[in-house]
């Protein structure tokens, strides 16, 4: 039994998980958390693989009890029996996911969004150009600008609309309110989960604000879904290929609430997750100029004409650029871990573990262990393109694995690849300020102003 660690802040959670491995070994039990089961940290990629591969069709992923309460109690009137895929488990989760999985994961659906995401990204780069100071440094609040780009991309995918996040003369405060609400909802999950859960019994100020944020999301998504329904009524459709993601779900299910809840989940989880991943990727590119130049050379080779529109085939050829992203995720995993609640007793690392224990797979640690990765402290994207060397496929899983693998992963990859292709084709990124430490909000990302220097090539 490991005592509760009271001397650490939640932002240091990644540091704590590393300390557990160093002090206690490859399996660590953390007990004494008020109002929740024990946590079992497993630092063994072989065991993680075994557990993933043997799970059934409805694995239970312990996450966001605050969102579970909101969906199942506070707004049961809205969510009903199909509350989505985030913070939902069991048969309810399986039924909802089966309704939206096919349109979201079909490659043809993702390919349809290359041009729309490229258009959003071109607007973002113009936005960045104007935001630079005399030294060509981007502003202190550049991470918020990345959130605006991310929201504009997600809005185009999940809501079928341009929200105007990147418009220089935008008068509406709605986009920033969405970003602030998403940040608040996700970044307070750890506070609500790991500290004394008084909110489960009385409406604490933090819980009240969380509920108000979620109500805002529901109201906003419903408005845009209703607008999409009206457009669909008058749209002449000759084949399924003419339909957007939103329209595919609306047409196949006929229930606008399914599409509304799908959009809600994509926006809620997607904005901060993708934004923090991009902050980390751009920071690493700006501080690793040799690897950045390799990406730029590859992009120029694939895209000799910078004005030619991108295609899915072009992006598919950016092998080194994709490897760079994977290496960033390995060394600085945006998602610090994944996990499962045991549905039956199990034997893990030789110990009998009872049903109900929440098992944590700390990706931020296992991706940097010599046991599973050759020379893990060396940043080397080439490792993802080589057949030799030690690289355990379950040591670094940024999107999870199996039935509960991230539903929006293909769109996340698309947005990241389009941004790198368009940005590094024309600009070199540099960083000339104090090095940034990484910290946990909800994600693991650079902590501090991301003042990148953006210079024309």
């Amino acid at each position: 039994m490991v005592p509760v660690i009271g001397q650490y802040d939640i932002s240091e959670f990644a540091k704590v998980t590393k300390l557990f491995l160093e002090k206690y070994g490859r399996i660590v039990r953390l007990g004494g958390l008020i109002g929740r089961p024990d946590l079992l940290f497993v630092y063994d990629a072989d065991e993680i693989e075994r557990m993933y591969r043997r799970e059934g069709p409805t694995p239970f992923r312990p996450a966001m009890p605050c969102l579970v309460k909101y969906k199942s109690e506070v707004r049961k009137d809205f969510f009903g029996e199909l509350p989505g895929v985030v913070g939902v488990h069991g048969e309810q989760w399986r039924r909802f996911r089966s309704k939206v999985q096919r349109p979201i994961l079909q490659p043809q659906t993702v390919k349809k969004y290359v041009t729309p995401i490229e258009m959003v990204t071109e607007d973002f780069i113009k936005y960045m150009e104007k935001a630079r100071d005399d030294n060509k440094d981007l502003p202190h609040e550049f991470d918020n600008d990345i959130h605006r780009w991310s929201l504009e991309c997600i809005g185009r995918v999940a809501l079928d609309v341009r929200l105007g996040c990147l418009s220089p003369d935008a008068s509406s405060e709605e986009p920033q309110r969405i970003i602030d609400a998403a940040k608040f909802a996700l970044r307070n999950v750890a506070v609500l989960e790991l500290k004394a859960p008084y909110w489960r019994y009385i409406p604490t100020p933090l819980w009240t604000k969380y509920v108000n944020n979620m109500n805002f999301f529901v109201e906003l998504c419903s408005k845009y879904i209703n607008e999409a329904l009206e457009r669909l009524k008058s749209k002449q459709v000759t084949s399924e290929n003419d339909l957007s993601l939103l329209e595919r779900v609306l047409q196949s299910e006929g229930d606008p609430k399914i599409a509304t809840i799908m959009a809600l989940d994509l926006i809620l989880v997607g904005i901060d997750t993708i934004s923090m991943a991009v902050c980390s990727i751009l920071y690493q590119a700006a501080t690793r100029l040799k690897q950045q130049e390799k990406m730029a050379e590859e992009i120029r080779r694939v895209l000799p004409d910078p004005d030619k529109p991108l295609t899915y085939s072009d992006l598919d050829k950016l092998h080194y650029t994709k490897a760079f992203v994977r290496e960033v995720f390995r060394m600085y995993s945006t998602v610090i871990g994944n996990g499962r609640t045991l549905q039956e007793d199990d034997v893990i690392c030789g110990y009998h573990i009872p049903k109900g224990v929440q098992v944590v797979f700390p990706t931020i640690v296992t991706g940097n262990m010599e046991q599973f990765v050759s020379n893990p402290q060396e940043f080397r994207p080439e490792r993802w393109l080589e057949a030799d060397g030690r690289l355990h496929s379950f040591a670094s899983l940024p999107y999870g694995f199996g039935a509960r693998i991230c539903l929006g992963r293909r769109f996340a990859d698309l947005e990241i690849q389009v941004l790198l292709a368009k940005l590094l084709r024309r600009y070199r990124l540099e960083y000339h300020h104090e090095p940034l430490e990484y910290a946990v909000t909800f994600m693991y990302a650079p902590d501090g102003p991301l003042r990148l220097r953006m210079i024309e090539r």
Side-chain angles (χ1 to χ4, degrees):
M1 172 73 76
V2 178
V4 174
I5 307 300
Q7 68 266 39
Y8 291 102
D9 187 79
I10 287 172
S11 65
E12 298 177 292
F13 191 72
K15 182 189 297 183
V16 173
T17 60
K18 294 174 185 176
L19 288 175
F20 283 175
L21 172 65
E22 293 169 2
K23 188 169 184 179
Y24 300 103
R26 63 182 184 140
I27 182 168
V28 181
R29 177 186 171 197
L30 176 62
L33 294 171
I34 301 173
R36 66 170 301 148
D38 291 351
L39 298 179
L40 188 75
F41 292 78
V42 176
Y43 301 88
D44 189 313
D46 292 327
E47 287 283 10
I48 293 170
E49 178 177 7
R50 181 189 63 81
M51 295 177 70
Y52 268 130
R53 292 196 183 282
R54 70 189 291 267
E55 64 187 11
T58 57
F60 193 105
R61 187 170 82 182
M64 302 187 190
C66 45
L67 186 58
V68 173
K69 181 178 175 69
Y70 177 82
K71 287 184 172 184
S72 63
E73 297 179 26
V74 178
R75 292 304 308 273
K76 188 173 183 179
D77 62 308
F78 179 82
F79 290 96
E81 296 303 312
L82 291 174
V85 294
V86 179
V88 183
H89 311 285
E91 184 60 22
Q92 281 188 323
W93 167 82
R94 189 199 63 77
R95 286 172 55 208
F96 189 93
R97 177 147 178 155
S98 68
K99 292 177 179 294
V100 300
Q101 179 168 287
R102 182 173 174 270
I104 289 182
L105 293 180
Q106 278 184 325
Q108 66 190 62
T109 306
V110 180
K111 290 177 183 179
K112 184 180 179 65
Y113 283 92
V114 173
T115 298
I117 297 302
E118 181 180 21
M119 293 173 66
V120 170
T121 301
E122 286 176 343
D123 288 346
F124 180 48
I125 293 174
K126 292 175 184 175
Y127 183 96
M128 292 167 66
E129 289 170 345
K130 294 177 181 179
R132 293 178 294 177
D133 64 15
D134 292 341
N135 292 324
K136 302 198 173 185
D137 282 356
L138 291 161
H140 281 78
E141 63 276 8
F142 179 56
D143 71 308
N144 189 71
D145 295 334
I146 292 175
H147 278 80
R148 296 179 76 88
W149 163 80
S150 175
L151 174 57
E152 192 76 0
C153 290
I154 295 172
R156 184 64 183 81
V157 171
L159 299 174
D160 240 6
V161 70
R162 288 291 300 264
L163 294 171
C165 302
L166 304 171
S167 174
D169 56 351
S171 57
S172 173
E173 295 180 359
E174 190 171 80
Q176 190 60 49
R177 287 180 63 204
I178 299 170
I179 292 167
D180 292 341
K183 283 183 178 180
F184 182 90
L186 288 183
R187 296 184 181 192
N188 281 283
V189 163
V191 178
L192 290 167
E193 288 193 24
L194 296 179
K195 293 191 175 182
Y198 299 121
W199 56 272
R200 295 186 184 181
Y201 313 105
I202 58 174
T204 64
L206 182 60
W207 172 248
T208 300
K209 190 170 182 180
Y210 180 88
V211 169
N212 290 338
N213 273 324
M214 292 304 302
N215 286 338
F216 170 70
F217 270 114
V218 171
E219 178 184 350
L220 176 76
C221 289
S222 298
K223 179 182 78 169
Y224 284 114
I225 294 295
N226 290 335
E227 291 175 0
L229 270 174
E230 292 302 313
R231 288 195 302 272
L232 189 57
K233 288 178 183 177
S234 59
K235 184 171 182 175
Q236 297 295 319
V237 179
T238 57
S239 76
E240 192 181 53
N241 290 334
D242 294 334
L243 297 174
S244 67
L245 169 62
L246 185 61
E247 290 167 341
R248 284 172 191 250
V249 174
L250 287 170
Q251 185 183 70
S252 64
E253 295 303 323
D255 183 355
K257 189 162 287 187
I258 298 290
T260 302
I261 295 171
M262 176 198 74
L264 175 67
D265 281 353
L266 287 175
I267 293 171
L268 177 64
V269 176
I271 296 174
D272 205 33
T273 305
I274 295 173
S275 299
M276 292 292 92
V278 168
C279 286
S280 184
I281 291 165
L282 295 185
Y283 176 68
Q284 293 301 323
T287 55
R288 299 180 185 276
L289 296 180
K290 179 181 176 182
Q291 288 88 352
Q292 184 189 152
E293 285 308 308
K294 284 189 176 182
M295 284 193 285
E297 289 170 8
E298 178 180 69
I299 293 166
R300 282 194 297 269
R301 187 167 62 252
V302 173
L303 302 168
D305 180 359
D307 297 319
K308 177 181 174 289
L310 286 174
T311 67
Y312 195 79
S313 176
D314 292 332
L315 296 174
D316 204 38
K317 296 173 185 174
L318 299 178
H319 304 299
Y320 184 85
T321 303
K322 292 180 183 179
F324 181 92
V325 173
R326 295 186 74 178
E327 187 71 345
V328 172
F329 285 164
R330 180 192 68 79
M331 285 194 75
Y332 311 94
S333 180
T334 309
V335 177
I336 60 174
N338 210 317
R340 295 289 186 264
T341 297
L342 292 184
Q343 301 301 291
E344 57 187 32
D345 291 4
D346 199 359
V347 175
I348 304 173
C349 298
Y351 292 89
H352 179 267
I353 309 298
K355 172 183 176 180
V357 169
Q358 294 186 353
V359 183
V360 179
F361 308 143
T363 302
I364 186 63
V365 180
T366 55
N368 287 280
M369 291 175 65
E370 180 74 36
Q371 182 180 351
F372 307 117
V373 181
S374 300
N375 302 315
Q377 300 311 311
E378 179 185 1
F379 186 91
R380 201 171 67 85
E382 291 82 0
R383 75 173 77 242
W384 298 96
L385 306 174
E386 300 168 348
D388 57 347
R390 188 166 53 258
L391 184 59
H392 199 297
S393 57
F394 282 75
S396 175
L397 292 171
Y399 295 124
F401 182 84
R404 294 207 68 137
I405 195 169
C406 175
L407 196 57
R409 68 189 185 281
R410 289 187 175 173
F411 286 102
D413 283 340
L414 176 66
E415 291 165 28
I416 292 169
Q417 290 163 19
V418 169
L419 177 61
L420 290 175
K422 300 298 292 186
L423 183 60
L424 299 185
R425 178 64 181 81
R426 294 178 180 271
Y427 297 93
R428 184 174 74 256
L429 299 178
E430 298 178 358
Y431 183 79
H432 297 278
H433 304 278
E434 288 297 314
L436 297 177
E437 297 291 331
Y438 274 65
V440 175
T441 51
F442 180 69
M443 300 289 105
Y444 186 62
D447 183 24
L450 194 64
R451 300 212 62 201
L452 304 181
R453 183 165 295 175
M454 180 177 159
I455 305 168
E456 286 81 357
R457 290 188 180 275

